[in-house]
Amino acid sequence: PLRWVLGAVGAEASPDATRTVGTAVHAVAQQVAEGLPPAEAAAVLDGELDQLDLGPGWADQRQRQAAQDMLGRFLRWHAANDRELVGVEENFDVVVGRARLRGQVDRLERDADGRLVVVDLKTGKTVPKNTEEHGQLAAYQVAVAAGGFGDHGAVPGGAALLQVGSGAKAKEQHQQPLPDDVPVTATWAG
């Protein structure tokens, strides 16, 4: 009963509110990657948040502060990231064996060796312990190796989860590139 009362007055964000705040952060991160000056990002995020129902008074403020904190972590990471940004919200659609992989990646980047690295922005607070066997990241790498990103290339340089949902700074959890001796198949990606 106490949990219900606290939730009803906004003491606990609903999963839907958190998801929509995360979507707003994603949208502004995409705009920054596409050229929005970082100095304008906080105001743009406020505009995105104005369109959401974040709850009464202090609950709204708490959600807004959490969103701005996530954006701040992303902006600091973005400024320090030394990979070349190739694209944002890039679609892919490939057939590997009998499997069809189709989706969209948050960021497609090129490392110093010219390989493609997929970066998936995460705004939640749950952080996986092991990304080496992370199926989503592996599937992205299989999509790269199968030519899913066209003229950008087909040599995977790994994939990463970029955690901005909590902590003092963004945490990039990297999955190593596909092993050279493993054939690209849908079964490798789990």
Side-chain angles (χ1 to χ4, degrees):
L2 178 58
R3 178 179 286 260
W4 178 87
V5 169
L6 290 173
V9 298
E12 188 174 299
S14 73
D16 288 339
T18 303
R19 212 175 356 261
T20 55
V21 167
T23 301
V25 172
H26 263 91
V28 177
Q30 176 183 348
Q31 291 176 49
V32 168
E34 293 173 338
L36 175 71
E40 298 175 18
V44 172
L45 180 58
D46 278 337
E48 292 279 337
L49 296 173
D50 287 344
Q51 298 175 38
L52 304 177
D53 178 15
L54 299 177
W58 61 273
D60 177 271
Q61 292 172 358
R62 194 176 100 209
Q63 289 293 317
R64 285 177 182 276
Q65 186 59 55
Q68 291 292 347
D69 290 347
M70 285 185 259
L71 179 61
R73 287 187 279 273
F74 168 78
L75 291 173
R76 287 187 297 278
W77 173 87
H78 181 72
N81 183 20
D82 60 355
R83 292 185 299 261
E84 171 194 1
L85 182 63
V86 174
V88 293
E89 301 301 322
E90 288 281 328
N91 293 315
F92 64 91
D93 187 350
V94 296
V95 175
V96 181
R98 297 181 318 170
R100 182 175 193 175
L101 297 175
R102 177 175 34 192
Q104 187 176 68
V105 299
D106 293 335
R107 293 175 64 99
L108 186 62
E109 301 178 347
R110 190 175 315 284
D111 69 11
D113 295 325
R115 304 172 303 178
L116 293 179
V117 178
V118 173
V119 178
D120 188 34
L121 181 64
K122 297 293 189 187
T123 57
K125 293 183 179 183
T126 304
V127 177
K129 293 179 180 161
N130 179 8
T131 55
E132 283 309 312
E133 296 179 6
H134 194 278
Q136 179 183 3
L137 295 180
Y140 289 155
Q141 291 202 67
V142 169
V144 168
F149 296 100
D151 293 340
H152 294 305
V155 179
L161 299 176
L162 179 62
Q163 305 284 349
V164 298
S166 62
K169 63 181 186 173
K171 179 180 182 180
E172 185 174 317
Q173 294 179 281
H174 195 75
Q175 183 180 71
Q176 294 301 312
L178 291 173
D180 291 334
D181 62 342
V182 174
V184 175
T185 65
T187 57
W188 184 87

